[in-house]
Amino acid sequence: MTRVCAHVLVVDDDETVRDVVGRYLGAAGHEVALVGDGPAALRAARESPPDVVVLDLMLPGLGGLEVCRVLRAEGDLPIVMLTALGEEDDRLLGLELGADDYVTKPFSPRELVLRIGSILRRTGTLAASPVLTDGALRVDPAGREATLDGVALALTTREFDLLAFLLAHPGQAFTREELLSQVWGWEFGDRSTVTVHVRRLREKVEADPTAPRRIATIWGTGYRYDREG
């Protein structure tokens, strides 16, 4: 079962944005509530207090700045604002009202998830990611360090993210499209990017990269991480 890290309230009048952000947060292990206007945001926050709010500034019924003002007056709830490029004055006002961070549209859903995780760790809501192990392989997501037989692995940022993701989901097969979405934060992209990174990872974590035992190819699907033993 997926570990629920935090309860996140997402407020945006764009159904597509709500859906995408909700899916990414859910994949990261968070419990997500989605609403589309200001009054609904206040009701949801009062009925089931979230750990953090993702708040669009342009909302029907009650604007995001007013929602931010009310929420901040009622408690010390972390707020991440979503703003358009031309809303600099509103963005600054939102920060002055107590918003913790902002993300400018168009934005990377993966970046938003990382920002939320950072805020939750600072507030003590989200525990640091556990160290992942598989035999002599050790991956520390919080410290961004991976070792094999006690020797540090020279991994690029994406190689590390891919290894940590696969190791966190042993026995589960993922398509290249799913890995592009979950690891790269891309809804569209060249699937060969995943193929190349898997090949490079195998060269670093497999005893014999030509006969991989950890990162298995599932023909017709994609890849699966198989733990030792």
Side-chain angles (χ1 to χ4, degrees), residues 200-214:
R200 291 176 178 169
L201 264 185
R202 283 172 170 165
E203 292 173 352
K204 298 175 181 180
V205 304
E206 300 282 4
D208 181 0
T210 63
R213 298 174 62 89
R214 284 191 164 102

Side-chain angles (χ1 to χ4, degrees), residues 21-98:
V21 172
R23 284 192 291 111
Y24 270 82
L25 288 168
H30 299 297
E31 179 184 88
V32 185
L34 307 173
V35 299
D37 60 60
L42 294 180
R43 286 195 301 272
R46 289 162 178 165
E47 292 172 2
S48 181
D51 296 304
V52 63
V53 176
V54 177
L55 178 64
D56 186 27
L57 289 187
M58 301 299 292
L59 294 172
L62 190 67
L65 285 175
E66 184 59 27
V67 172
C68 180
R69 192 193 313 273
V70 173
L71 291 176
R72 183 54 68 240
E74 295 181 352
D76 192 25
L77 177 64
I79 298 172
V80 179
M81 298 184 303
L82 299 180
T83 72
L85 284 172
E87 297 172 348
E88 183 176 358
D89 290 343
D90 286 344
R91 181 165 64 246
L92 293 175
L93 180 55
L95 293 173
E96 290 174 0
L97 289 173

Side-chain angles (χ1 to χ4, degrees), residues 183-197:
V183 178
W184 276 260
W186 299 352
E187 291 304 311
F188 305 96
D190 188 346
R191 293 182 301 170
S192 66
T193 299
V194 177
T195 305
V196 170
H197 279 75

Side-chain angles (χ1 to χ4, degrees), residues 102-118:
Y102 70 87
V103 176
T104 302
K105 294 182 178 181
F107 60 90
S108 160
R110 183 173 179 275
E111 178 189 357
L112 177 60
V113 172
L114 292 174
R115 297 264 195 112
I116 290 171
S118 176

Side-chain angles (χ1 to χ4, degrees), residues 7 16 29 62 106 132 136 151 157 160 194 205 210 215 223 225:
H7 175 40
T16 300
L62 190 67
L132 305 168
V151 179
T157 298
F160 183 93
V194 177
V205 304
T210 63
I215 305 175
Y223 301 102
Y225 191 94

